[in-house]
Amino acid sequence: MASASQIIFNTQLRLFIFNRSANKYEAAGAGAPCGCVIVGGGTNYTLLIYDASKKHLCQALIRPSFKLTVQPNFYVSFSVDDKAFSVNLSSDDQLRRFCKHVMATAAHVARFSDSTMSDPVLQVTNDDGSAATVGSGDTCGVVYACWELSQQAANPPHTSIAAAPTADNDGEMVKIKAGNAADEPFEGLAAKLIGMRAKATYFFVTPSSDPNLPWKFAQVDLVKHKKKSKTSSSSSSSAADSSLQNFPEPAAVETVESPAPASATSAAEAVNAEEDPNRPRSGSLA
């Protein structure tokens, strides 16, 4: 039996639609505030945005591949098929509510359709790009809240994130080494820290390695960040070299030259986009 359709989230926002011919975003609904709801049931949910006359301006099926991008001044952009949209929320709190519900809904759909989310990490706060990026082994001071998502497809996703967090360390900061699962208070956190920026807030979804356990939705504030010390590794290497001097010379053995390891290359792409701080970003789109 199919789950009954219901509204699980609602808010007001302003909607902009990208005009490819003009290469810019243009206000929809005469620029007036629009209604926005997430409606559905089971594993089928739709993000619906409409004007004062109830005319549908955006109708997006929330799939595991649904991707949000947070921009300055409370804008969030996303694409639906070949159309690009940007919504403007009234405050940081409203922006977070919107992103949290969309991501939790996408996770719910992914969980019960045996799919993976294509973009399970979202940077909620913006930065100027100068903040340090977390690397493996770096020490991070984080404040977190974690919710267990429902294990029943019939339960709408908003019920899980509306409840109190299942883990939050009473709002106190905890120290974690990025990439070190032994330090993490819940599964997946240490690995997700790699690549995050200091002083930023993130939402992310992490599946459980045990299919019988629930997926998790988390909010993480990266409060402090300390790069992994290079002196510790170099001093360990020096100590090892020193200890080798105490051993007698080994007997001569026939050596076989090993092939040189294949070289690894990496590429980084920088994308620069001019933007009016009071409007959503425009420019070339994928």
Side-chain angles (χ1 to χ4, degrees), residues 17-24 79 81-84 283-286:
I17 304 175
F18 191 77
N19 183 329
R20 294 182 182 276
S21 298
N23 197 38
K24 66 178 181 179
S79 295
D81 298 325
D82 61 343
K83 291 185 177 181
S284 60
L285 297 175

PDB file of all heavy atoms in Angstrom, residues 17-24 79 81-84 283-286:
ATOM      1  N   ILE A  17      15.019  32.166 -11.851  1.00  0.00           N
ATOM      2  CA  ILE A  17      15.240  31.149 -12.869  1.00  0.00           C
ATOM      3  C   ILE A  17      16.296  31.654 -13.840  1.00  0.00           C
ATOM      4  O   ILE A  17      16.257  32.811 -14.274  1.00  0.00           O
ATOM      5  CB  ILE A  17      13.939  30.824 -13.627  1.00  0.00           C
ATOM      6  CG1 ILE A  17      12.844  30.389 -12.639  1.00  0.00           C
ATOM      7  CG2 ILE A  17      14.174  29.729 -14.668  1.00  0.00           C
ATOM      8  CD1 ILE A  17      11.485  30.158 -13.278  1.00  0.00           C
ATOM      9  N   PHE A  18      17.252  30.801 -14.169  1.00  0.00           N
ATOM     10  CA  PHE A  18      18.346  31.210 -15.043  1.00  0.00           C
ATOM     11  C   PHE A  18      17.889  31.275 -16.493  1.00  0.00           C
ATOM     12  O   PHE A  18      17.356  30.307 -17.043  1.00  0.00           O
ATOM     13  CB  PHE A  18      19.520  30.233 -14.912  1.00  0.00           C
ATOM     14  CG  PHE A  18      20.771  30.716 -15.582  1.00  0.00           C
ATOM     15  CD1 PHE A  18      21.563  31.684 -14.988  1.00  0.00           C
ATOM     16  CD2 PHE A  18      21.165  30.201 -16.808  1.00  0.00           C
ATOM     17  CE1 PHE A  18      22.722  32.137 -15.596  1.00  0.00           C
ATOM     18  CE2 PHE A  18      22.322  30.638 -17.422  1.00  0.00           C
ATOM     19  CZ  PHE A  18      23.097  31.618 -16.814  1.00  0.00           C
ATOM     20  N   ASN A  19      18.094  32.443 -17.108  1.00  0.00           N
ATOM     21  CA  ASN A  19      17.787  32.656 -18.521  1.00  0.00           C
ATOM     22  C   ASN A  19      19.082  32.464 -19.309  1.00  0.00           C
ATOM     23  O   ASN A  19      19.983  33.295 -19.244  1.00  0.00           O
ATOM     24  CB  ASN A  19      17.218  34.066 -18.721  1.00  0.00           C
ATOM     25  CG  ASN A  19      16.809  34.327 -20.157  1.00  0.00           C
ATOM     26  OD1 ASN A  19      17.387  33.794 -21.105  1.00  0.00           O
ATOM     27  ND2 ASN A  19      15.799  35.179 -20.319  1.00  0.00           N
ATOM     28  N   ARG A  20      19.177  31.377 -20.042  1.00  0.00           N
ATOM     29  CA  ARG A  20      20.413  31.078 -20.758  1.00  0.00           C
ATOM     30  C   ARG A  20      20.685  32.070 -21.878  1.00  0.00           C
ATOM     31  O   ARG A  20      21.845  32.364 -22.177  1.00  0.00           O
ATOM     32  CB  ARG A  20      20.366  29.644 -21.298  1.00  0.00           C
ATOM     33  CG  ARG A  20      20.366  28.590 -20.202  1.00  0.00           C
ATOM     34  CD  ARG A  20      20.376  27.185 -20.754  1.00  0.00           C
ATOM     35  NE  ARG A  20      20.325  26.188 -19.693  1.00  0.00           N
ATOM     36  CZ  ARG A  20      21.382  25.750 -19.015  1.00  0.00           C
ATOM     37  NH1 ARG A  20      22.585  26.225 -19.302  1.00  0.00           N
ATOM     38  NH2 ARG A  20      21.252  24.837 -18.065  1.00  0.00           N
ATOM     39  N   SER A  21      19.652  32.553 -22.492  1.00  0.00           N
ATOM     40  CA  SER A  21      19.841  33.513 -23.583  1.00  0.00           C
ATOM     41  C   SER A  21      20.441  34.817 -23.073  1.00  0.00           C
ATOM     42  O   SER A  21      21.337  35.400 -23.688  1.00  0.00           O
ATOM     43  CB  SER A  21      18.504  33.801 -24.274  1.00  0.00           C
ATOM     44  OG  SER A  21      17.970  32.630 -24.842  1.00  0.00           O
ATOM     45  N   ALA A  22      19.952  35.276 -21.906  1.00  0.00           N
ATOM     46  CA  ALA A  22      20.459  36.515 -21.315  1.00  0.00           C
ATOM     47  C   ALA A  22      21.660  36.268 -20.412  1.00  0.00           C
ATOM     48  O   ALA A  22      22.303  37.221 -19.959  1.00  0.00           O
ATOM     49  CB  ALA A  22      19.350  37.214 -20.524  1.00  0.00           C
ATOM     50  N   ASN A  23      21.946  34.982 -20.115  1.00  0.00           N
ATOM     51  CA  ASN A  23      23.061  34.592 -19.249  1.00  0.00           C
ATOM     52  C   ASN A  23      22.955  35.221 -17.859  1.00  0.00           C
ATOM     53  O   ASN A  23      23.922  35.721 -17.298  1.00  0.00           O
ATOM     54  CB  ASN A  23      24.406  34.957 -19.884  1.00  0.00           C
ATOM     55  CG  ASN A  23      25.565  34.217 -19.221  1.00  0.00           C
ATOM     56  OD1 ASN A  23      25.434  33.058 -18.857  1.00  0.00           O
ATOM     57  ND2 ASN A  23      26.689  34.893 -19.063  1.00  0.00           N
ATOM     58  N   LYS A  24      21.748  35.175 -17.302  1.00  0.00           N
ATOM     59  CA  LYS A  24      21.556  35.718 -15.965  1.00  0.00           C
ATOM     60  C   LYS A  24      20.295  35.128 -15.338  1.00  0.00           C
ATOM     61  O   LYS A  24      19.432  34.573 -16.026  1.00  0.00           O
ATOM     62  CB  LYS A  24      21.443  37.239 -16.005  1.00  0.00           C
ATOM     63  CG  LYS A  24      20.209  37.755 -16.730  1.00  0.00           C
ATOM     64  CD  LYS A  24      20.139  39.279 -16.688  1.00  0.00           C
ATOM     65  CE  LYS A  24      18.878  39.793 -17.386  1.00  0.00           C
ATOM     66  NZ  LYS A  24      18.801  41.281 -17.328  1.00  0.00           N
ATOM     67  N   SER A  79      19.598  22.569  -9.780  1.00  0.00           N
ATOM     68  CA  SER A  79      19.151  22.364 -11.158  1.00  0.00           C
ATOM     69  C   SER A  79      18.097  21.276 -11.207  1.00  0.00           C
ATOM     70  O   SER A  79      18.115  20.318 -10.426  1.00  0.00           O
ATOM     71  CB  SER A  79      20.329  21.970 -12.055  1.00  0.00           C
ATOM     72  OG  SER A  79      21.267  23.027 -12.144  1.00  0.00           O
ATOM     73  N   ASP A  81      16.587  19.010 -14.283  1.00  0.00           N
ATOM     74  CA  ASP A  81      16.741  18.695 -15.707  1.00  0.00           C
ATOM     75  C   ASP A  81      17.655  19.738 -16.352  1.00  0.00           C
ATOM     76  O   ASP A  81      18.789  19.887 -15.930  1.00  0.00           O
ATOM     77  CB  ASP A  81      15.379  18.605 -16.386  1.00  0.00           C
ATOM     78  CG  ASP A  81      14.531  17.482 -15.791  1.00  0.00           C
ATOM     79  OD1 ASP A  81      15.106  16.442 -15.417  1.00  0.00           O
ATOM     80  OD2 ASP A  81      13.298  17.648 -15.694  1.00  0.00           O
ATOM     81  N   ASP A  82      17.138  20.505 -17.321  1.00  0.00           N
ATOM     82  CA  ASP A  82      17.991  21.490 -17.994  1.00  0.00           C
ATOM     83  C   ASP A  82      17.745  22.909 -17.497  1.00  0.00           C
ATOM     84  O   ASP A  82      18.206  23.870 -18.097  1.00  0.00           O
ATOM     85  CB  ASP A  82      17.764  21.439 -19.510  1.00  0.00           C
ATOM     86  CG  ASP A  82      16.330  21.771 -19.897  1.00  0.00           C
ATOM     87  OD1 ASP A  82      15.454  21.711 -19.007  1.00  0.00           O
ATOM     88  OD2 ASP A  82      16.088  22.072 -21.081  1.00  0.00           O
ATOM     89  N   LYS A  83      17.029  23.058 -16.381  1.00  0.00           N
ATOM     90  CA  LYS A  83      16.745  24.381 -15.827  1.00  0.00           C
ATOM     91  C   LYS A  83      17.524  24.596 -14.530  1.00  0.00           C
ATOM     92  O   LYS A  83      17.659  23.676 -13.725  1.00  0.00           O
ATOM     93  CB  LYS A  83      15.250  24.551 -15.560  1.00  0.00           C
ATOM     94  CG  LYS A  83      14.398  24.626 -16.825  1.00  0.00           C
ATOM     95  CD  LYS A  83      12.949  24.923 -16.479  1.00  0.00           C
ATOM     96  CE  LYS A  83      12.094  25.071 -17.732  1.00  0.00           C
ATOM     97  NZ  LYS A  83      10.675  25.374 -17.407  1.00  0.00           N
ATOM     98  N   ALA A  84      17.994  25.827 -14.361  1.00  0.00           N
ATOM     99  CA  ALA A  84      18.724  26.185 -13.147  1.00  0.00           C
ATOM    100  C   ALA A  84      17.898  27.181 -12.341  1.00  0.00           C
ATOM    101  O   ALA A  84      17.344  28.136 -12.890  1.00  0.00           O
ATOM    102  CB  ALA A  84      20.077  26.789 -13.502  1.00  0.00           C
ATOM    103  N   GLY A 283      26.256  32.977 -14.911  1.00  0.00           N
ATOM    104  CA  GLY A 283      27.433  32.597 -15.669  1.00  0.00           C
ATOM    105  C   GLY A 283      27.189  31.257 -16.331  1.00  0.00           C
ATOM    106  O   GLY A 283      26.071  30.765 -16.369  1.00  0.00           O
ATOM    107  N   SER A 284      28.211  30.685 -16.843  1.00  0.00           N
ATOM    108  CA  SER A 284      28.055  29.422 -17.552  1.00  0.00           C
ATOM    109  C   SER A 284      27.660  28.335 -16.593  1.00  0.00           C
ATOM    110  O   SER A 284      28.098  28.305 -15.459  1.00  0.00           O
ATOM    111  CB  SER A 284      29.373  29.051 -18.237  1.00  0.00           C
ATOM    112  OG  SER A 284      30.387  28.924 -17.284  1.00  0.00           O
ATOM    113  N   LEU A 285      26.794  27.464 -17.039  1.00  0.00           N
ATOM    114  CA  LEU A 285      26.297  26.363 -16.221  1.00  0.00           C
ATOM    115  C   LEU A 285      26.649  25.052 -16.876  1.00  0.00           C
ATOM    116  O   LEU A 285      26.774  24.952 -18.090  1.00  0.00           O
ATOM    117  CB  LEU A 285      24.758  26.431 -16.068  1.00  0.00           C
ATOM    118  CG  LEU A 285      24.240  27.681 -15.336  1.00  0.00           C
ATOM    119  CD1 LEU A 285      22.748  27.682 -15.361  1.00  0.00           C
ATOM    120  CD2 LEU A 285      24.755  27.732 -13.927  1.00  0.00           C
ATOM    121  N   ALA A 286      26.789  24.014 -16.042  1.00  0.00           N
ATOM    122  CA  ALA A 286      27.092  22.683 -16.573  1.00  0.00           C
ATOM    123  C   ALA A 286      25.891  22.173 -17.357  1.00  0.00           C
ATOM    124  O   ALA A 286      24.775  22.434 -16.990  1.00  0.00           O
ATOM    125  CB  ALA A 286      27.444  21.731 -15.429  1.00  0.00           C
TER     126      ALA A 286
END
